[in-house]
Amino acid sequence: MDAQRQRYLQVMGIQTWAYAGLRSLEQTPDDPHGQSATDNGPQWEALAAEVAGCERCKLSATRTQTVFGTGDRQARIMIVGEAPGADEDRQGEPFVGRAGQLLTRIIQALGYRREQVYIANIVKCRPPDNRNPEGDEVDACASFLRRQIELVQPEVIVAVGGVAAQNLLRTEASVGQLRGRRLTHPETGIPVVVTYHPAYLLRSPGEKRKVWLDLRHLARTGQPA
Ligand code: URA
């Protein structure tokens, strides 16, 4: 971790540790890379409770429940999607519908289990009729995702789809324009890899190869190109 990021996290009051090279892929959720799984536990619990009770925007009126995030809270790779759909709204977990099943297969193709990455969305509540989240909804939720990123401290963030990429990177560029570029999350300096959303791949299966091209370096090294 570079000195600037370390300093930023310290200022934010977030516990950090020194990376000893790449973490083992054989880590288990109970003993991730030799640390107690309860590291930063109180911050996670407080954040999850805040999200569960959130009424900052109009999506709170139509949701069944909030969809916080799932996976290894000390993961090397954090995947960020757009927003919960109907299945996620029902089950309270991100990416559990058809697109989610494809995402799980992509994660496995990278050599990871789904539980070894951390998965979250730009917004934590389902937009009605699966429309894109609106600006005020994204803004209301932004600090939740930022705090999740600060707590996980991933080595890389994978933004799937345009909504995730544009909001994480504060750009209006398309996925096509952002793929294959060295990008960083402005607030934390963490590298961001942009690729297509699995829902797009369900509609355009011929594009799956491009996702692999985007992610193969991650698969080989666990780090962005
Ligand atoms: N699409 C997303 O972007 N996120 C989910 O959780 C489900 C579908």
Side-chain angles (χ1 to χ4, degrees):
M1 185 183 318
D2 68 33
Q4 188 183 18
R5 185 170 154 214
Q6 178 102 47
R7 218 168 26 249
Y8 172 82
L9 293 166
Q10 273 166 359
V11 168
M12 300 301 291
I14 290 169
Q15 196 172 337
T16 61
W17 59 90
Y19 289 117
L22 293 180
R23 299 174 198 159
S24 163
L25 294 186
E26 294 310 313
Q27 62 193 235
T28 66
D30 290 338
D31 181 27
H33 39 94
Q35 293 238 334
S36 158
T38 58
D39 283 345
N40 292 326
Q43 286 108 309
W44 277 109
E45 279 157 36
L47 182 57
E50 207 181 317
V51 169
C54 177
E55 295 186 353
R56 290 182 189 176
C57 84
K58 56 189 177 300
L59 295 182
S60 62
T62 51
R63 73 183 180 220
T64 303
Q65 60 188 311
T66 56
V67 178
F68 180 68
T70 190
D72 183 352
R73 291 173 168 182
Q74 297 180 332
R76 300 162 67 181
I77 299 176
M78 180 161 177
I79 297 176
V80 177
E82 176 179 327
D87 294 308
E88 292 76 21
D89 177 69
R90 215 171 13 251
Q91 296 185 41
E93 186 173 327
F95 282 104
V96 290
R98 277 188 70 222
Q101 287 158 20
L102 177 54
L103 180 67
T104 300
R105 291 201 295 280
I106 292 169
I107 293 166
Q108 289 165 348
L110 292 178
Y112 292 79
R113 296 190 304 275
R114 181 178 159 101
E115 318 80 72
Q116 288 180 300
V117 303
Y118 192 82
I119 306 174
N121 282 311
I122 294 288
V123 297
K124 311 302 186 207
C125 298
R126 181 192 181 204
D129 303 321
N130 295 339
R131 64 161 170 75
N132 283 356
E134 293 171 356
D136 60 318
E137 298 158 357
V138 170
D139 290 348
C141 234
S143 69
F144 295 145
L145 180 62
R146 196 195 64 236
R147 282 155 67 192
Q148 285 176 304
I149 293 170
E150 289 165 350
L151 284 166
V152 175
Q153 301 178 44
E155 292 173 20
V156 59
I157 299 169
V158 179
V160 293
V163 169
Q166 289 164 358
N167 286 293
L168 277 171
L169 296 164
R170 300 185 191 284
T171 176
E172 293 186 356
S174 67
V175 172
Q177 291 166 328
L178 295 169
R179 289 179 59 231
R181 287 175 47 189
R182 284 175 182 256
L183 303 160
T184 50
H185 180 234
E187 287 150 307
T188 59
I190 295 171
V192 175
V193 173
V194 173
T195 195
Y196 291 109
H197 194 287
Y200 169 73
L201 299 181
L202 289 174
R203 293 192 301 274
S204 309
E207 302 287 65
K208 282 182 188 167
R209 187 166 170 274
K210 290 188 182 164
V211 173
W212 175 251
L213 293 176
D214 295 340
L215 302 181
R216 66 186 165 172
H217 192 81
L218 267 187
R220 278 204 297 265
T221 65
Q223 293 184 326

